[in-house]
Amino acid sequence: MPAGSALFSENNLRSFTTSIFLQIGCSEAHASLAADVLLRADLRGIDSHGVARLAGYVRLWEKGRINATPDITIVHETPTTATVDGDSGLGLVIAPFAMNLAIEKASVYGSGWVAVRNSNHFGIAGYHALMAAERQMIGMAMTNASPLVAPTFTTERLLGTNPICYAFPAGNHPPVVVDMATSAAANGKLEIAQRKNDPLPGGWVQTAGGESSTDAHALKSGGSLLPLGSDREHGSHKGFGLGATVDILSAVLSGANYGPWVPPFVSFIDPLPDLPGKGIGHFLGAMRVDGFRPVAEFHHHIDQWIDRFKAAKPIDPLQPLIIPGEPELQAAHDRKKNGIPLVDAVVSDLNTLAEKFNIQKLEG
Amino acid sequence: MPAGSALFSENNLRSFTTSIFLQIGCSEAHASLAADVLLRADLRGIDSHGVARLAGYVRLWEKGRINATPDITIVHETPTTATVDGDSGLGLVIAPFAMNLAIEKASVYGSGWVAVRNSNHFGIAGYHALMAAERQMIGMAMTNASPLVAPTFTTERLLGTNPICYAFPAGNHPPVVVDMATSAAANGKLEIAQRKNDPLPGGWVQTAGGESSTDAHALKSGGSLLPLGSDREHGSHKGFGLGATVDILSAVLSGANYGPWVPPFVSFIDPLPDLPGKGIGHFLGAMRVDGFRPVAEFHHHIDQWIDRFKAAKPIDPLQPLIIPGEPELQAAHDRKKNGIPLVDAVVSDLNTLAEKFNIQKLEG
């Protein structure tokens, strides 16, 4: 456990988080679902997307930018496609609604694809994609996000870290879960370097003028994150292309905001005027494995795929190949048993919420 | 035009290429379609995937690894999903068959997804994805390929450059076409450096032992291409995750070969024994834009998306942002008008074919 942090049980954090969502007016079902999405991030070791964000959601609610009692509706539909309007609700409950719709469509027709507008931050993409994988479907989830990434050759932040997730069910092995930001580094890694006063590796950020930088604070002086690939020579145009794909599928297709107009997650920055769409956008999909081949055959071959890749000759015998999703599952096993570490700043943030809503404080 | 090359008209190359495919026994329809896929690559400036590969296809046919008269069949199906067996045919004709099936399904149900096994190299992914975009659908195409890329932390070539393509129709603008290998650099770029005897930038390849290398010949001594991201610190696990996603969708889902078992494109390397599947695999999809929102609305917003990104402040005023697909379209305009440049080695290769099949040689 890192210094300046304490351990909390899953149950403790879950009931605390549920209470806060109830306090801002969410229904029982929404509060418990939203808490489940955040807790899953903490369990899986993706600390930046778990309860550490709870205060941020509350601040957006205080600003009137999150509706705790949304009327989530399907505004456009074919047998296997739909667009959902989230009515400014929590992405944490809108995305599961949309994924359930995709899964229903896939159950009947083989596949289902749902674009979402008028939503907010949806937590970890893996949560939603795994909903499909648990039903022997291939799950896909992506979202656009606050603009922080400058496309290749430019100095303007026009894309978010726009994650893409694919989850594949397996047989004897746990699911393969590819869950990745389309930037070279996630913002959370910059925050860690800031706390430690460490320089960044080159290729993560650039200055306001577009020069390569190792300053962990570069974004505070007009700098930008760089797309996956870091520079043109190493394929940053591909990272830009992936981020653009996420932006178009999530927002241009759904009627959400895109590019520089995506409303910031932080409540102290107001959205731009004259927005072209509503809220932020997501795109979710599910395909039945047995729409392509019998599930048992697929399980046999994906298990063989996993076994073969795990057996790959390592450069360093102490660092074998990592199957996507494996470290997160390992973290979940450990943290369910031993507790979830939260840094003191997060605990203090959560306890400020506890005071505000007059509920019991967290104790490590 | 580069030194050591000559210009050829589209029509000249098209009739030459069609003749060769007819000579190996393809039907008129297949020969003309296969030639169209190769010519589109040359027109779009993706020289590595055009007629330069014609001799390679012929050599695979001579080895009995390509069937010129395949019986392409649908072996598994739901309303919106299918698996196609390509009967060892040319990927150049199997992939369009599969994409047409995806488009038909999307026309009726909103979306269509087709996994393909028992195929061969399908040319440029963009050709297939654009078939959907021309019908106001979002097109997606991916394929696995000969293993050249070592996953993060390993020294084994377990993945191909496994490209992903998304094509989005636009209104007043041409389609946005994201078409990218999931490796840091494509093999074609190494070949250019080899011809010029130039060192590579770091981050493209590693040695057989897994050390970073700038040797353009590194693959010939057991080295590997690196995934997009180049190293762990810059996100190579994401490039690996994307390549893995392509491999699983294209081959584990379809019943093709995956990982190290993907049969090599070059005819002088035999496939491994005890293959787990058939041929190489592709995955193609189409989603109707009006399955999500009216086409006119989508056109309006994607045009605004393109305009806003094109207006992004450049680092260097002489190098503005590039919309994915724009350079390829510009190349196609130029080359349709001025001709397609082929390097002498390719012309000589093609004229060896001409002699073998007793057809008229190319003249620049």
Side-chain angles (χ1 to χ4, degrees):
Chain A
M1 193 173 55
S5 61
L7 285 173
F8 297 85
S9 77
E10 179 191 353
N11 284 347
N12 188 356
L13 287 181
R14 185 181 295 275
S15 65
F16 181 91
T17 305
T18 308
S19 299
I20 297 290
F21 283 125
L22 288 171
Q23 287 293 329
I24 69 170
C26 293
S27 68
E28 291 271 357
H30 279 186
S32 126
L33 176 56
D36 193 49
V37 179
L38 291 187
L39 261 293
R40 188 78 74 91
D42 285 308
L43 286 169
R44 289 172 71 81
I46 311 169
D47 300 346
S48 57
H49 285 53
V51 296
R53 284 199 181 241
L54 184 56
Y57 289 105
V58 171
R59 283 191 290 268
L60 285 174
W61 168 76
E62 287 170 332
K63 276 260 183 174
R65 286 177 50 198
I66 281 181
N67 173 5
T69 55
D71 183 19
I72 307 172
T73 52
I74 300 168
V75 293
H76 197 100
E77 198 170 14
T78 72
T80 68
T81 64
T83 296
V84 160
D85 187 307
D87 195 22
S88 300
L90 288 163
L92 306 170
V93 302
I94 298 165
F97 174 96
M99 183 51 102
N100 275 324
L101 181 60
I103 287 170
E104 274 173 40
K105 288 174 176 293
S107 303
V108 182
Y109 297 102
S111 70
W113 302 89
V114 180
V116 177
R117 72 183 187 207
N118 211 359
S119 186
N120 281 287
H121 194 273
F122 77 6
I124 50 169
Y127 184 95
H128 314 296
L130 277 165
M131 289 172 62
E134 284 154 12
R135 290 162 179 83
Q136 302 309 325
M137 297 181 182
I138 293 163
M140 197 278 303
M142 46 176 76
T143 185
N144 68 5
S146 316
L148 294 174
V149 178
T152 309
F153 299 135
T154 76
T155 61
E156 277 192 271
R157 300 174 184 173
L158 293 182
L159 290 170
T161 53
N162 294 7
I164 298 177
C165 178
Y166 276 93
F168 301 97
N172 298 321
H173 287 293
V176 176
V177 184
V178 176
D179 188 355
M180 49 171 274
T182 52
S183 51
N187 206 18
K189 291 203 178 167
L190 270 64
E191 286 162 10
I192 294 168
Q194 286 164 13
R195 276 201 293 272
K196 296 186 182 166
N197 243 336
D198 281 350
L200 304 177
W204 286 13
V205 299
Q206 66 181 13
T207 64
E211 277 167 46
S212 177
S213 170
T214 59
D215 176 8
H217 301 273
L219 268 66
K220 288 171 190 157
S221 43
S224 317
L225 290 175
L226 292 168
L228 176 59
S230 297
D231 58 34
R232 177 63 177 77
E233 197 166 53
H234 295 89
S236 68
H237 56 298
K238 299 177 185 182
F240 163 50
L242 289 169
T245 296
V246 173
D247 202 33
I248 294 171
L249 288 172
S250 301
V252 178
L253 194 56
S254 70
N257 293 298
Y258 40 81
W261 292 287
V262 177
F265 179 74
V266 291
S267 60
F268 58 85
I269 305 179
D270 285 328
L272 294 179
D274 303 322
L275 295 178
K278 291 179 173 182
I280 78 167
H282 320 310
F283 190 68
L284 301 118
M287 294 184 285
R288 258 167 47 203
V289 164
D290 68 1
F292 299 93
R293 72 188 304 187
V295 170
E297 275 183 32
F298 181 82
H299 280 176
H300 170 75
H301 285 283
I302 196 159
D303 281 351
Q304 177 167 333
W305 188 97
I306 294 167
D307 288 334
R308 179 61 185 87
F309 276 75
K310 281 174 85 86
K313 196 169 170 233
I315 296 173
D316 169 358
L318 298 177
Q319 177 55 73
L321 178 143
I322 295 173
I323 298 293
E326 216 175 43
E328 292 84 357
L329 197 67
Q330 189 56 52
H333 285 309
D334 292 351
R335 290 179 169 197
K336 267 182 186 291
K337 195 170 144 201
N338 303 317
I340 294 167
L342 295 183
V343 297
D344 296 344
V346 168
V347 178
S348 150
D349 236 29
L350 292 173
N351 281 335
T352 305
L353 287 180
E355 275 175 32
K356 175 180 302 195
F357 291 113
N358 201 21
I359 65 170
Q360 201 185 333
K361 288 192 180 185
L362 284 175
E363 278 172 45
Chain B
M1 193 173 55
S5 61
L7 284 173
F8 297 86
S9 77
E10 178 191 354
N11 284 347
N12 188 358
L13 289 181
R14 184 181 295 274
S15 65
F16 181 91
T17 304
T18 307
S19 300
I20 297 290
F21 283 125
L22 287 171
Q23 288 293 329
I24 69 170
C26 294
S27 66
E28 291 272 358
H30 279 187
S32 127
L33 175 56
D36 193 47
V37 179
L38 292 186
L39 261 292
R40 187 80 73 92
D42 285 309
L43 286 170
R44 289 172 71 81
I46 310 169
D47 300 347
S48 56
H49 285 53
V51 296
R53 284 197 180 242
L54 185 56
Y57 290 105
V58 171
R59 283 191 290 267
L60 285 174
W61 168 78
E62 287 169 333
K63 277 260 183 174
R65 287 178 49 200
I66 280 181
N67 173 5
T69 56
D71 182 18
I72 307 171
T73 52
I74 300 168
V75 293
H76 197 99
E77 197 170 15
T78 72
T80 68
T81 63
T83 296
V84 161
D85 187 307
D87 194 22
S88 300
L90 287 164
L92 305 171
V93 303
I94 298 165
F97 174 96
M99 182 51 102
N100 275 324
L101 181 60
I103 288 169
E104 272 173 41
K105 288 174 176 293
S107 302
V108 181
Y109 297 102
S111 70
W113 302 89
V114 180
V116 177
R117 72 183 187 208
N118 212 358
S119 186
N120 282 286
H121 194 274
F122 76 5
I124 50 169
Y127 184 95
H128 315 297
L130 276 166
M131 288 172 62
E134 284 155 11
R135 290 162 179 83
Q136 302 308 327
M137 296 181 183
I138 293 163
M140 198 278 303
M142 46 177 74
T143 185
N144 68 4
S146 316
L148 294 174
V149 178
T152 309
F153 299 136
T154 77
T155 60
E156 278 192 272
R157 299 176 185 172
L158 293 182
L159 290 170
T161 53
N162 293 9
I164 298 177
C165 179
Y166 276 94
F168 301 97
N172 297 321
H173 288 292
V176 176
V177 185
V178 176
D179 188 355
M180 48 172 276
T182 53
S183 52
N187 206 19
K189 291 202 179 169
L190 269 64
E191 287 163 9
I192 294 169
Q194 287 164 12
R195 275 201 293 273
K196 296 187 183 167
N197 245 335
D198 281 349
L200 304 177
W204 286 13
V205 299
Q206 66 181 13
T207 64
E211 277 167 48
S212 177
S213 169
T214 59
D215 175 8
H217 301 274
L219 268 66
K220 287 171 191 158
S221 43
S224 318
L225 290 175
L226 293 168
L228 176 60
S230 299
D231 58 35
R232 177 64 178 77
E233 196 166 53
H234 295 88
S236 69
H237 56 300
K238 300 177 186 181
F240 163 49
L242 289 169
T245 296
V246 173
D247 202 32
I248 295 171
L249 288 172
S250 300
V252 178
L253 193 58
S254 69
N257 294 298
Y258 39 81
W261 292 288
V262 177
F265 179 75
V266 290
S267 61
F268 58 85
I269 305 180
D270 285 328
L272 295 178
D274 302 323
L275 295 178
K278 291 179 174 181
I280 78 167
H282 320 308
F283 190 67
L284 302 118
M287 295 185 283
R288 258 167 48 204
V289 164
D290 68 0
F292 298 93
R293 72 188 304 188
V295 170
E297 276 183 30
F298 181 82
H299 280 176
H300 170 75
H301 286 283
I302 197 159
D303 281 351
Q304 177 167 333
W305 188 96
I306 294 166
D307 288 334
R308 179 62 186 87
F309 277 74
K310 281 174 85 85
K313 196 170 169 229
I315 296 172
D316 169 358
L318 297 177
Q319 177 56 75
L321 178 144
I322 295 172
I323 298 292
E326 215 175 44
E328 292 84 356
L329 197 68
Q330 187 58 51
H333 285 309
D334 291 352
R335 290 178 169 197
K336 266 183 186 289
K337 195 170 144 202
N338 303 318
I340 294 167
L342 296 182
V343 297
D344 295 345
V346 168
V347 178
S348 151
D349 236 29
L350 292 172
N351 280 337
T352 305
L353 287 180
E355 274 175 32
K356 174 180 301 194
F357 291 111
N358 202 21
I359 66 170
Q360 200 186 334
K361 287 193 182 184
L362 283 176
E363 277 172 47

